[in-house]
Amino acid sequence: MAAAFAALVSLQNNLRLIRNHPNHTFSFEEEQIQPLWGRVSFLIDFLKSYNYSHGAIRETTESLELRIARAAQEAEDVIEGHIVDQIRCGKTRSSRFLLDLHKVSEKLHYMRRKALNAFFLLLIAPSGMLEQSTYPSSSSSSTQSTPLLTSSMVGFDDILLQLLHLLARGPLSRRVIPIEGMGGIGKTTLAINAFHHPYIVQHFDVCLWATISQEYSIHKILAQLLSCLRRSTSGTFDEMRERLYKSLFGLRYLIVLDDMWNLKVWDDMNVKSLFPDTNNGSRVVVTTRLADVAYHLGDNGYGIAMSFLDEANSWHLFCQNAFAKQQVCPPELEETARKIVARCKGLPLAIVVVGGHLRKSPTALAYWENVAQSILYSTGNDEQCLNVLSLSYRYLPVHLKPCFLLLGAFPEDEEIFAQDVVKLWIAEGLIQHIDDFRLEDVAVYYLFDLFMRNLILVDKWDYKGAITTFKVHDIVREMCLQTAKEVQFLSVFETAGAIIREHRVVISGEAKHETISSDAPACCLISSRGRYSIHNPHDLKWLRTLSKVVTTLTSELIFQQVNLRYLNLNLVYIPHPVLYYLPSSISLLWNLQILTIIVPDQSKVIAPYGIWEMLQLRQIEVDPICLIDPLPVDQANEMVMRNLYKLLKVENFRLSEVVCKRIPNVRELRLSYCGKVSLYYCPRNLGCLHQLDYLALQFDGNTNWREFATSLTFPSSLRVLRLSGCCGVDWEELTMMVGSLPHLEMLLLFRNSVIGSVWTPVEGKFCHLKTLIIDGCGDLVCWNADNSHFPVLENLNLRDLSKLIEFPSGIGEIATLKSIDLRFCSASSTLSAMRTLLEQLELGNESLRLNVYFRGDEETMESFKNDVREEGLTSSSNLSLRLFSSK
């Protein structure tokens, strides 16, 4: 379904643009586009609404999905192939093109009829067939009403004790306790061990278990619960509900609802009418892969979030499953066995599955070494584990499936930047247009949804609460790649094998462009580790994503790939500074949305005037790039880049009135200024960018930039401001310039951005500032600040302030302050900051943390330690003190 949905959405996006392209008129008639649009829209809606996981019908549907994907891809190939011919050669519609377009349109019409037939087949399917396939085999309870104790809780003793405490202690009112985590993490095992624990069995009058799963039946859930009570499971829904309620009334009960996938089942069960609350300490445990389900069901913070096993417990669990009774690894196998365990990355299910496989396997070292090499990449060792995890994919909403599968394009065991993922999703046409929402905002929501489903592991969040970086567990990634290959969505080449028929290609090893056939239908080519060299590429007329490839020059041929939507180039290092001139042919890229170029040090990219006519551009990330002034915007020239929201990093950018009109919706802007100083750059017009959210300004340190900097007018929309090198601006001027901005949350002041020895903030300024970084403003001696000057500050970072005499104690009184970082500041300011922390701790402020990084030789470090002892500054868990030697 992922490949079909992705192909249809991408085709729909192209049809929308063909109809309304701002600077190209394509030779398509409305009577050709309208039928195509209707058929594509119908099939998209069909895939969204159709639940394909119904037993015998599933096989038919999966075959249909593959045919839909091929038909949509073929239609897009025909359309984009014609666009290439028209843009390059000025060709109008040929009889061959019209015939091909008619053929693909008819194929999609045929697919529409087949989809309708499949839908009607579902409607008339016997209920028994549907019910039989509703529950995965792992959740069937036909032969037993309660689960058996199948695995010990290695590594989870503390969590088990925590769960037992929540079950047996606390309020007498009925409580719901969610257990959440990714598939295979041990949620059900934890619930089983608690369910059968002697203390729990004795504490509760009755213990009931029901498995829910993605496709649930309230009737079956009631039957499972009633069977635990040895009550009749026959009758209508209302009869069964009344029977359960009366059976539980007055009893202290424990009910486990295992594997809940959404809140709808909770509402459908009408819990109050099922589970009486007689104020006797009854409990309901819910296991779920979805964080939002756990959040909504948890009472007053009740709940348990499962995490991975550490190295020691992973090894213990493996030995328990791999070595039968002795549970001890033979010395000759230990080194290889530990490699195997490390590959499981702390996921209990993977450890149990692999251990169980090896338990029945030969103990020859060669065999174990082969398993270590092939683990998670073979079809036997990990089948059970991948089958369990694949449920998370199977029940994803259809719009998330292709997005999830494309995560396989990123390297294993590496931090993934959310922005890179968002760019790739947009370029591949996986994000549907939603009125009043930018594609980037929709994509960010999709990524957060994957996090809430425990399919990605977030490392960092940004100041707006969005994901910055994340990782994908190795086993989840393997499931992703395996599924992507099965549905012909993504192909990964470890070596430079010939690429002939693949549409989306990831190259993870060394390769050159000769490995790609000149007539290959590749539409997406990604070098996951940036080692794919491309200098004179073949004419890949359907190529729309070219990411992380290496080249020595801005080749004219690269910019003749007319259908490119995403271009990410790495210009390799050259020993001397170079000016790279983008060719004028770049303006022929009718649908280019993201342009990213990594430039060697001291070099820069010069863009042609035509870049102002590329109205589909959403992000320009070139460090640095020089832009020629555009022509004025008037009735005859309406080239406004309304989609452009990120522009990085423009050198000596002239903020003329014309430029500001050309980029009215830009949100992130990073500019650098150097050389001759001039008000020609129009600093006052910056305030015309009413959507600007993030602004970074870097100057070359020339004090003559003072007049330019103090003339800047900042838009009221600004939330983040980063300044560097604008010598000449003092602290009072800075306060007047930006202190009154109504939405400013982050202020980052880097080396030489502000001069002056005294900063006395003004009350009523910086009312919304949450993060303040002062780094390298070495003139600062006295900072007269208190809680009235930064009333909502949360994070303060001071670095390289060697002249600062004292840390302002009033800062510690800010109620919202969470952390203070002092890096390589003066000893006196560091000591005063430590005193401030201790004062706050004595006042009961346990949430404040102080991190100190002190630099010096052995003598200065010992002197500082003596000062700490003389001050009587005792250690605290809220204080982190790190000393670095200057040697």
Side-chain angles (χ1 to χ4, degrees), residues 612 615 627-634 637-645 647 650 653-667 669 671 673 679-692 695 697 708 711-715:
W612 292 103
L615 304 189
L627 299 177
I628 300 171
D629 286 356
L631 296 175
V633 177
D634 54 33
N637 177 25
E638 297 180 353
M639 296 296 182
V640 177
M641 304 177 76
R642 302 187 188 281
N643 293 315
L644 187 67
Y645 89 100
L647 182 54
V650 190
F653 191 43
R654 187 179 181 221
L655 294 160
S656 66
E657 185 178 349
V658 172
V659 166
C660 293
K661 286 183 178 180
R662 287 283 192 130
I663 54 172
N665 298 319
V666 69
R667 295 194 178 189
L669 195 58
L671 310 176
Y673 291 91
L679 291 180
Y680 165 80
Y681 298 120
C682 310
R684 297 186 187 280
N685 287 334
L686 182 66
C688 298
L689 301 176
H690 300 298
Q691 302 297 320
L692 193 62
L695 174 64
L697 294 170
F708 176 92
S711 299
L712 285 163
T713 301
F714 298 98

Side-chain angles (χ1 to χ4, degrees), residues 460-479:
K460 298 175 185 176
W461 302 84
D462 69 7
Y463 67 98
K464 293 185 288 188
I467 298 170
T468 301
T469 60
F470 67 94
K471 292 180 180 177
V472 178
H473 193 283
D474 285 1
I475 300 176
V476 175
R477 182 177 183 271
E478 176 59 21
M479 180 264 291

Side-chain angles (χ1 to χ4, degrees), residues 28 40 59 77 226 432 606-607 611 634 682 703-704 768 784 808 818 834:
F28 291 86
V40 169
E59 296 181 7
D77 289 348
L226 286 168
Q432 278 191 287
I606 310 297
I611 200 168
D634 54 33
C682 310
T703 57
N704 292 327
H768 296 90
N784 301 314
K818 299 176 182 177
M834 294 172 67

Side-chain angles (χ1 to χ4, degrees), residues 226-286:
L226 286 168
S227 67
C228 294
L229 293 167
R230 301 184 183 275
R231 300 289 193 274
S232 171
T233 59
S234 62
T236 66
F237 170 75
D238 289 336
E239 290 172 343
M240 294 173 69
R241 181 170 58 185
E242 183 179 0
R243 189 179 306 135
L244 178 62
Y245 186 89
K246 288 182 177 179
S247 298
L248 292 176
F249 192 86
L251 298 179
R252 180 192 293 159
Y253 57 81
L254 167 63
I255 296 175
V256 177
L257 301 176
D258 187 36
D259 201 19
M260 185 176 290
W261 285 76
N262 55 56
L263 293 170
K264 185 176 184 296
V265 60
W266 186 263
D267 296 334
D268 290 347
M269 288 172 64
N270 192 2
V271 171
K272 290 184 179 181
S273 69
L274 282 180
F275 309 146
D277 186 359
T278 52
N279 208 39
N280 60 1
S282 293
R283 298 288 184 262
V284 178
V285 172
V286 175

Side-chain angles (χ1 to χ4, degrees), residues 2-12 68-69 72-73 76 430 504:
F5 187 80
L8 289 167
V9 172
S10 179
L11 176 57
Q12 186 185 61
I68 290 173
Q73 288 168 356
E76 193 163 37
L430 306 184
R504 290 186 183 85

Side-chain angles (χ1 to χ4, degrees), residues 385-397:
C385 185
L386 290 179
N387 283 343
V388 171
L389 292 177
S390 68
L391 290 176
S392 294
Y393 169 77
R394 182 183 303 169
Y395 295 120
L396 278 176

